[in-house]
Amino acid sequence: MQQLNHFVDGEYVDGTSGRFTEVFNPATGEAQLKIQLAGKDEVDAIVEKAAIAQQAWARVNPQRRARVFMKFGQLINENMDRLAEAISREHGKTLPDARGDVQRGLEVVEVCMGAPAMLKGEFTDNAGPDIDIYAMRQPLGVVAGITPFNFPAMIPLWKMSPAIAAGNAMILKPSERAPTCAFLLAELLHEAGLPKGVLQVVNGDKEAVDALLDNETIQAVGFVGSTPIAQYIYGRAATNGKRAQCFGGAKNHMVIMPDADIDKAADALLGAGFGAAGERCMAISVAVPVGKETADKLVEKLAPRIEALKVGPYTAGDDVDYGPVITAAAKDRIEGLIASGVEQGATLVTDGRDLKLQGYEGGFYVGPTMFDNVTPDMEIYKEEIFGPVLSQVRVETYEEALQLVMDNEYGNGTAIYTADGDTARDYASRVNVGMVGINFPIPVPLSYYSFGGWKKSAFGDLNQYGSDAFRFYTKTKTVTSRWYSGIKDGHELNFKALD
């Protein structure tokens, strides 16, 4: 079985911990790769190497750093299929979905090509008598990124690109479930001209994460994953005096008003709810139709569409709508939550349990599942299922729908489908959720804005990518300057009088 080692100082190196884990192909259930798991001593040594490299990288001017990202973007485009294949093989998502994963990360790389503009400071001439004040943005030093399995290209690119473009060194720890793409990206970034040691990629589990959180050289930590782990990392990082930007779980609702185009809403829910097997923090997992007639129509439109979805391995190409979930444990958990929905009284419209595909009996497949008549006290509503399961919660009024969303503990994304501008504007203004879509199912902002949720979906003051990322990965230094020339315009200055 092939083994994936750590990527340190621009080359692959053996680990020393003696601990390993296996990476599975979700389509078949077979182990396909063995990876080493770093221990504390390894992490500390890698961080020390990164700190040395960062000192020289910080002195490279922003325009030259940007040129590295120009080349990096070109190489990503040239290697799109190779990167997508690596993602699909370890995550299970279809190749078009995997290419989208890479593309959304590439868009952040493209923004980082404009790093010089993002890193400009401020200057005030003659703020006082012969006094100038200026502020400059400087890199933090060595930072860490801890990224999830569900977007093996996008999230690593969201983390490492602005951090490195801002002059930092980055220690990237990708998910041990789908690590290969992160290593391929590191290879491409070095091919683009990044100096050795500025980006180190290390495989690891909780031991490696804790080592990063406790290492005194690490100045900031970015994380994406579940809410309990986001809270843990945020708390431990803050205790150790680090900046932390931690994004957690979600329970995203789509409100469907009586005046909405039901066919368009149903089509939007199909992609937003079941794309990538629902393993997206921006997936719509709750449909909230307003009024009985709207709810009945939505079920009528959705049920045949859901039943027509095709599930299978990514190798089936365009014949597949989505693939398996990431692990056998994830499959068992999702099917357990479906069973709880039945037990607690929800109406099972389509049942995706016990899906078996000929020739892929060992794969981790869950068929598309929809519930109607779900209530907020049910486990399938309260839990982030992270699978191909859509719940419909019926409400009678717009205000009831809005309150349902606002009362939920998560606040990542939400959407509303309506033909009425006043309703849409009111919803966008009042809802306590970080990202809002109006007749748009997955409202992930473009890369020159920023991505971030509210409530228990995010911990930290700044969002991912865009200008917020450059603020997060830099610190401001303000200089107040006065030069004593002694004579100005032929007259000796009395500086004491000016003070």
Side-chain angles (χ1 to χ4, degrees), residues 150-459:
N150 59 323
F151 283 97
M154 185 180 79
I155 305 298
L157 288 169
W158 285 8
K159 295 299 183 187
M160 69 187 191
S161 300
I164 293 171
N168 300 285
M170 163 69 80
I171 311 296
L172 178 64
K173 194 214 80 68
S175 169
E176 62 272 29
R177 298 174 185 173
T180 297
C181 187
F183 286 85
L184 295 178
L185 290 169
E187 291 178 15
L188 295 178
L189 188 49
H190 281 80
E191 185 180 340
L194 186 73
K196 294 179 179 180
V198 177
L199 172 63
Q200 315 276 36
V201 187
V202 58
N203 283 311
D205 53 8
K206 185 177 183 297
E207 184 175 337
V209 169
D210 286 346
L212 291 170
L213 295 175
D214 295 340
N215 186 285
E216 292 183 358
T217 301
I218 299 290
Q219 299 298 303
V221 178
F223 169 81
V224 177
S226 69
T227 286
I229 299 176
Q231 288 179 300
Y232 169 78
I233 290 176
Y234 184 77
R236 188 157 178 165
T239 298
N240 289 327
K242 306 182 193 306
R243 290 187 182 183
Q245 180 190 62
C246 300
F247 295 86
K251 199 73 178 179
N252 304 318
H253 300 66
M254 179 195 286
V255 175
I256 302 97
M257 296 299 295
D259 62 1
D261 185 316
I262 297 297
D263 282 305
K264 288 181 179 177
D267 287 339
L269 280 167
L270 204 66
F274 300 101
E279 292 178 320
R280 297 189 291 206
C281 69
M282 289 298 287
I284 295 291
S285 56
V286 183
V288 188
V290 175
K292 183 179 185 304
E293 184 178 351
T294 308
D296 290 344
K297 283 182 180 178
L298 192 60
V299 173
E300 180 184 342
K301 298 287 186 179
L302 270 172
R305 285 172 164 87
I306 293 172
E307 290 169 351
L309 288 173
K310 296 178 181 178
V311 183
Y314 77 93
T315 50
D318 294 339
D319 290 336
V320 171
D321 292 300
Y322 72 84
V325 297
I326 188 68
T327 62
K331 172 181 167 68
D332 291 343
R333 178 181 174 274
I334 293 164
E335 292 186 344
L337 284 166
I338 295 172
S340 79
V342 175
E343 292 167 6
Q344 293 174 10
T347 303
L348 188 59
V349 179
T350 63
D351 189 353
R353 291 173 292 179
D354 302 319
L355 176 63
K356 297 293 183 183
L357 299 181
Q358 187 176 359
Y360 296 90
E361 289 81 4
F364 313 136
Y365 297 96
V366 180
T369 301
M370 180 180 178
F371 281 102
D372 192 9
N373 298 305
V374 174
T375 58
D377 59 326
M378 294 178 180
E379 291 302 311
I380 53 171
Y381 178 81
K382 293 188 292 185
E383 293 284 332
E384 183 186 24
I385 298 175
F386 222 60
V389 181
L390 178 66
S391 298
Q392 176 162 285
V393 179
R394 294 176 175 237
V395 297
E396 292 301 320
T397 67
Y398 164 72
E399 288 294 335
E400 188 181 347
L402 176 63
Q403 196 62 49
L404 177 74
V405 179
M406 295 183 69
D407 287 345
N408 193 273
E409 64 179 345
Y410 296 113
N412 218 32
T414 187
I416 184 169
Y417 268 64
T418 180
D420 184 74
D422 288 340
T423 302
R425 191 171 186 275
D426 182 80
Y427 188 80
S429 175
R430 293 169 61 191
V431 73
N432 57 352
V433 174
M435 292 168 283
V436 181
I438 297 173
N439 298 321
F440 198 88
I442 303 180
V444 178
L446 291 175
S447 53
Y448 43 87
Y449 280 80
S450 66
F451 178 106
W454 289 11
K455 298 184 282 188
K456 286 190 176 181
S457 291
F459 303 86

